[in-house]
Amino acid sequence: MLELKDIHKDYPSGDEGKVEALRGVSLQFRSREFVSILGPSGCGKTTLLNIVGGLDQYTSGDLVINGRSTKDFKDRDWDAYRNHSIGFVFQSYHLIPHQTVLQNVELALTLSGVPKAERRQMSGGQMQRVAIARALVNDPDIILADEPTGALDSETSVQVMEILKEISQDRLIIMVTHNAQLAEEYSTRIIRILDGRVTGD
Ligand code: ADP
Ligand code: MG
């Protein structure tokens, strides 16, 4: 359903210099799998995720979505793809305060008598679960998660991984992680990246 063909991504840097963040990445993803992307800091993991999610443009190559090349995608095509096909989960949650979903969640706590100050202090695990709920609410085909457990303790990380594993039954999950152990245990496929290239799949 998703194919990267020889994707290169250069970022301008210094005087006419460039950083080659991706150096020819070719990958195919199926509609139901739980993919982990492993690699050291700076190897291009976030760049890859952002390109797959249409948040950033590739320099050369092609991203083929459901058989359609994105080379001629216009802004409105990218908007439609981001809004309907993709859900994002980030390490730092990126939640918007005072969102309706939070007020709804909070209502259940109000009714059960949890004091206001306590209700308002969501733990990291709660925030990440709300972030996953937000990523899922449009029922996207693809969930992209960038270090979703990076700020969580090990017990909460396992809870978040269980949720991701469950939702990967009927969609594609691509997760960037530093945690090789969680990747081995929960994902169906591990892709290793080094210096902008795939070194293992
Ligand atoms: P990772 O997520 O694996 O840590 P990134 O994809 O964030 O790696 O970065 C890959 C390389 O591209 C790094 O050398 C980084 O400094 C560079 N890079 C990432 N984003 C930008 C940007 N917006 N401008 C310039 N260089 C960038
Ligand atoms: Mg990163």
Side-chain angles (χ1 to χ4, degrees), residues 11-13 19 21 39-48 146 176:
Y11 289 109
S13 108
V19 175
S41 187
C43 72
K45 303 181 297 296
T46 295
T47 302
L48 179 64
D146 198 349
V176 164

Side-chain angles (χ1 to χ4, degrees), residues 146-172:
D146 198 349
E147 311 252 14
T149 63
L152 304 179
D153 62 54
S154 56
E155 193 184 327
T156 315
S157 295
V158 164
Q159 291 168 1
V160 164
M161 295 302 293
E162 292 284 355
I163 295 170
L164 292 175
K165 183 179 169 183
E166 191 181 326
I167 64 177
S168 71
Q169 300 303 311
D170 59 357
R171 71 193 79 232
L172 169 63

Side-chain angles (χ1 to χ4, degrees), residues 49-66:
L49 221 53
N50 287 344
I51 285 173
V52 167
L55 291 182
D56 205 351
Q57 299 293 306
Y58 46 85
T59 305
S60 67
D62 196 5
L63 173 68
V64 180
I65 301 167
N66 291 325

Side-chain angles (χ1 to χ4, degrees), residues 21-175:
L22 295 177
R23 305 167 186 237
V25 170
S26 296
L27 289 167
Q28 282 182 311
F29 296 104
R30 292 188 298 275
S31 51
R32 289 178 180 80
E33 52 183 339
F34 187 171
V35 182
S36 286
I37 297 185
L38 288 174
S41 187
C43 72
K45 303 181 297 296
T46 295
T47 302
L48 179 64
L49 221 53
N50 287 344
I51 285 173
V52 167
L55 291 182
D56 205 351
Q57 299 293 306
Y58 46 85
T59 305
S60 67
D62 196 5
L63 173 68
V64 180
I65 301 167
N66 291 325
R68 185 179 163 203
S69 167
T70 56
K71 279 181 184 164
D72 301 321
F73 260 34
K74 305 283 182 268
D75 284 350
R76 68 167 183 277
D77 298 311
W78 286 116
D79 284 344
Y81 172 62
R82 276 191 299 264
N83 292 337
H84 301 298
S85 300
I86 302 280
F88 292 96
V89 179
F90 302 92
Q91 175 178 342
S92 47
Y93 323 121
H94 290 214
L95 294 182
I96 301 162
H98 314 305
Q99 243 181 339
T100 323
V101 64
L102 290 182
Q103 288 163 353
N104 276 296
V105 171
E106 191 183 19
L107 179 64
L109 296 176
T110 309
L111 294 173
S112 63
V114 176
K116 181 163 186 161
E118 200 176 315
R119 294 198 309 261
R120 285 291 164 112
Q121 284 185 351
M122 284 203 292
S123 67
Q126 287 169 330
M127 285 199 276
Q128 196 56 293
R129 280 180 289 224
V130 172
I132 292 170
R134 181 186 54 187
L136 281 172
V137 75
N138 285 317
D139 195 24
D141 297 331
I142 303 164
I143 298 281
L144 302 176
D146 198 349
E147 311 252 14
T149 63
L152 304 179
D153 62 54
S154 56
E155 193 184 327
T156 315
S157 295
V158 164
Q159 291 168 1
V160 164
M161 295 302 293
E162 292 284 355
I163 295 170
L164 292 175
K165 183 179 169 183
E166 191 181 326
I167 64 177
S168 71
Q169 300 303 311
D170 59 357
R171 71 193 79 232
L172 169 63
I173 311 263
I174 306 177
M175 176 184 77

